[in-house]
């Protein structure tokens, strides 16, 4: 069946370094991908999205890369800050899933001082 | 503009009771999706409503139901509560089919004792 998965459940990064969070998806028909950040006690917060007709998109301190050949998605966070500590989820959407976001398991990002 | 509002924030119920959770989407958004989040299962899709119609439903028993009103506000109901229903219930709104992103509320933390 369809699935979106993350390679690492926990990622520890030194403050100031760049973070890279990875995500694999299995449905080649997926055409829209979203990264969310969830802090403790809060709902997921939209970070950045990308459509399948692109392979890179940049936001403020974040970059999403999409490799459709290997069905891989990554989120890069530049100059990681303590406020970046959270669980990061990737999600995919496609018309085959009929409006249902398919979520990865999540990666917990820990910032070391 | 106001975000997605979920009420109540916290709820404690007894096994066998029923519960109703409420979600007010962002003004102008007509799509409302509901998710259950537990530590073991991650984010699981419950259902999605658009213009008062359920467009998609996840793999949850019939004890879980929902509805959407003409002002796009949505409610979900869980009858005959079980201990395993303890979770964070999240609501997300979108302008249409979610291809412009979803905005989440902070969730309702339901504890069944």
């Amino acid at each position: 069946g369809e699935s979106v998965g993350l390679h690492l459940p926990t990622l520890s990064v030194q403050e100031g370094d760049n973070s890279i969070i990875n995500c694999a998806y299995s449905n080649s028909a997926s055409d829209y991908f979203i990264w969310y950040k969830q802090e403790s006690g809060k709902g997921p917060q939209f970070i950045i999205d990308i459509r399948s007709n692109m392979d890179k998109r940049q936001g403020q301190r974040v970059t999403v890369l999409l490799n459709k050949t290997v069905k891989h998605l990554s989120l890069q966070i530049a100059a990681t800050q303590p406020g970046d500590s959270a669980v990061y989820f990737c999600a995919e959407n496609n018309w085959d899933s009929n409006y249902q976001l398919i979520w990865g398991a999540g990666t917990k990002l820990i910032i070391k001082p | 503009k106001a975000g997605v509002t979920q009420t109540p924030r916290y709820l404690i119920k007894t096994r066998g009771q029923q519960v109703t959770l409420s979600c007010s989407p962002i003004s102008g958004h007509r799509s409302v999706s509901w998710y259950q989040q537990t530590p073991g299962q991650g984010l699981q899709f419950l259902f999605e409503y658009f213009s008062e119609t359920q467009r998609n439903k996840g793999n949850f028993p019939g004890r879980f139901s929902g509805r959407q009103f003409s002002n796009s506000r949505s409610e979900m109901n869980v009858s005959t509560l079980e201990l395993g229903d303890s979770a964070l219930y999240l609501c997300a709104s979108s302008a249409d089919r979610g291809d412009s992103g979803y905005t989440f509320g902070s969730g309702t933390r339901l504890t069944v004792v």
Side-chain angles (χ1 to χ4, degrees):
Chain A
E2 299 172 4
S3 67
V4 177
L6 291 163
H7 296 309
L8 298 171
T10 303
L11 178 65
S12 292
V13 175
Q14 202 73 35
E15 182 179 347
D17 286 352
N18 296 336
S19 303
I20 300 176
I21 302 172
N22 296 303
C23 179
Y25 64 97
S26 59
N27 188 348
S28 57
S30 292
D31 52 15
Y32 181 58
F33 304 87
I34 316 171
W35 280 101
Y36 283 93
K37 169 187 179 182
Q38 187 174 24
E39 297 173 280
S40 181
K42 298 182 180 179
Q45 177 187 359
F46 175 91
I47 301 174
I48 192 168
D49 60 0
I50 189 168
R51 299 190 185 279
S52 58
N53 61 353
M54 303 172 69
D55 52 22
K56 180 179 180 179
R57 191 163 187 225
Q58 289 184 293
Q60 188 176 14
R61 281 202 308 119
V62 294
T63 301
V64 55
L65 299 177
L66 175 63
N67 186 330
K68 294 181 287 295
T69 303
V70 294
K71 290 183 281 188
H72 183 266
L73 193 67
S74 69
L75 176 70
Q76 300 178 3
I77 305 173
T80 311
Q81 303 169 357
D84 295 328
S85 293
V87 177
Y88 289 82
F89 294 94
C90 63
E92 68 177 292
N93 196 5
N94 62 75
W95 309 141
D96 288 347
S97 69
N98 196 22
Y99 317 119
Q100 174 185 339
L101 275 179
I102 301 170
W103 293 78
T107 293
K108 184 173 184 179
L109 179 63
I110 298 171
I111 312 304
K112 297 181 288 187
Chain B
K1 82 187 182 184
V4 178
T5 303
Q6 290 188 248
T7 56
R9 285 297 311 275
Y10 302 93
L11 206 51
I12 299 176
K13 289 285 189 177
T14 304
R15 248 184 328 178
Q17 287 186 312
Q18 74 162 11
V19 67
T20 298
L21 312 181
S22 179
C23 172
S24 293
I26 288 175
S27 178
H29 282 190
R30 294 194 291 167
S31 168
V32 174
S33 301
W34 287 90
Y35 291 84
Q36 182 195 66
Q37 186 175 30
T38 59
Q41 297 295 320
L43 276 147
Q44 301 290 315
F45 174 76
L46 282 156
F47 26 66
E48 189 257 356
Y49 287 87
F50 181 82
S51 293
E52 302 179 67
T53 300
Q54 186 182 87
R55 289 198 298 194
N56 196 15
K57 189 176 188 302
N59 296 321
F60 278 81
R63 300 184 297 106
F64 292 81
S65 62
R67 60 178 176 168
Q68 186 179 34
F69 302 95
S70 58
N71 61 358
S72 293
R73 189 177 71 87
S74 178
E75 290 181 346
M76 67 162 282
N77 183 278
V78 187
S79 62
T80 320
L81 283 165
E82 300 177 359
L83 295 179
D85 296 333
S86 295
L88 179 67
Y89 289 88
L90 291 160
C91 161
S93 79
S94 174
D96 187 357
R97 293 183 293 185
D99 57 353
S100 58
Y102 294 83
T103 302
F104 282 82
S106 295
T108 294
R109 172 73 64 185
L110 172 64
T111 302
V112 182
V113 297

